[in-house]
Amino acid sequence: FDPYFMTKVPYTLAVIELPEQPNLKLVSNVVDIDPDEVRIGMPVEVAFTEVSPEVTLPLFRPAS
C-alpha cells in the first residue's frame, strides 16, 4: 500500500457515477464528511488533492 493512505485511515471508498458520463464509474474516496453520513446517491463534487509533485488524486466531497 502507498504510505499516503496510512495517515488517512479510516477512509470511505465509493463508486462515483458522473452525471456527464453515466457509463463511466470511478472508485475514489469521499472526504470532508463523517463516514456514517455518506449515502448512496449523495451528490458529490471533485476535490483534486495533490499527493506528491507527480500525483494528484480526484477525491470527492459532498456537493455544496
Side-chain angles (χ1 to χ4, degrees):
F1 296 107
D2 191 291
Y4 167 81
F5 292 102
M6 295 296 290
T7 62
K8 306 300 180 198
V9 174
Y11 49 88
T12 306
L13 292 179
V15 176
I16 307 295
E17 184 175 274
L18 302 174
E20 301 84 11
Q21 295 189 5
N23 295 326
L24 176 66
K25 294 178 176 51
L26 303 171
V27 176
S28 186
N29 293 43
V30 179
V31 296
D32 299 338
I33 185 172
D34 185 288
D36 291 333
E37 295 179 22
V38 175
R39 299 288 178 252
I40 294 172
M42 184 176 92
V44 294
E45 61 189 21
V46 69
F48 290 104
T49 303
E50 186 175 306
V51 176
S52 72
E54 298 84 23
V55 177
T56 299
L57 295 177
L59 304 182
F60 290 82
R61 62 179 169 231
S64 53

